[in-house]
Amino acid sequence: MLDTVIDIVAGTFMIVGCLMSLAAGIGMLRFPDLLSRLHAATKPQVLGLFLLLAALGLELRSWVVLPVLALAWLLQLLTAPVSAHMVGRAGYRTRHLKRETLIADELAAVVEAAEQREEAEHGQNGNRDRADFID
């Protein structure tokens, strides 16, 4: 009886995890701009991976694999937001986003201040791109 319940829970986790990963993939293709796509790539994908790893842990029924599964999820949990942040900053620097879809542009003030500081220190330089001023 317990094996049946564990199999049902593991199967449910696998199906929901696969649907979350599928939603992430569809969002990557369907969303209109870079920042929306980054959201779709990180949020449901991390949860989908967690559910798949949890299902794998339940199905294997071994304590030996749990540290490996936890490490895999922890690495994904740590790297997905950082990589999305870096891609988002690069997209902002190269203007690969739709500014009209932003509710608040918190980086604009930082970029403007950096540009003014650079102009004050070195004068007007026509060869510099706005991307050079963002930290």
Side-chain angles (χ1 to χ4, degrees), residues 92-93 95 99 108 111 115 128-134:
Y92 189 92
R93 287 179 178 183
R95 299 180 182 103
R99 296 217 184 264
V111 171
E115 286 175 348
R128 301 289 301 243
D129 186 32
R130 181 178 180 183
D132 296 332
F133 299 109
I134 301 175

Side-chain angles (χ1 to χ4, degrees), residues 27-106:
M28 289 285 293
L29 294 174
R30 300 287 305 206
F31 282 163
D33 66 335
L34 175 72
L35 300 179
S36 299
R37 289 178 180 165
L38 286 176
H39 179 77
T42 56
K43 304 295 185 204
Q45 191 265 338
V46 170
L47 179 61
L49 178 67
F50 171 73
L51 291 172
L52 288 171
L53 292 174
L56 185 61
L58 288 172
E59 277 299 310
L60 293 176
R61 293 180 178 93
S62 173
W63 291 103
V64 176
V65 298
L66 287 182
V68 175
L69 297 175
L71 180 65
W73 186 67
L74 182 65
L75 288 174
Q76 182 68 27
L77 188 65
L78 292 174
T79 58
V82 172
S83 63
H85 176 78
M86 297 307 293
V87 170
R89 293 278 290 222
Y92 189 92
R93 287 179 178 183
T94 58
R95 299 180 182 103
H96 283 93
L97 62 125
K98 295 181 180 177
R99 296 217 184 264
E100 63 272 4
T101 62
L102 293 177
I103 294 172
D105 189 359
E106 296 169 352

Side-chain angles (χ1 to χ4, degrees), residues 1-42:
M1 179 67 180
L2 183 62
D3 287 341
T4 305
V5 171
I6 290 174
D7 287 341
I8 290 171
V9 170
T12 304
F13 280 4
M14 283 185 191
I15 291 171
V16 173
C18 288
L19 289 175
M20 294 295 286
S21 296
L22 178 66
I26 292 172
M28 289 285 293
L29 294 174
R30 300 287 305 206
F31 282 163
D33 66 335
L34 175 72
L35 300 179
S36 299
R37 289 178 180 165
L38 286 176
H39 179 77
T42 56

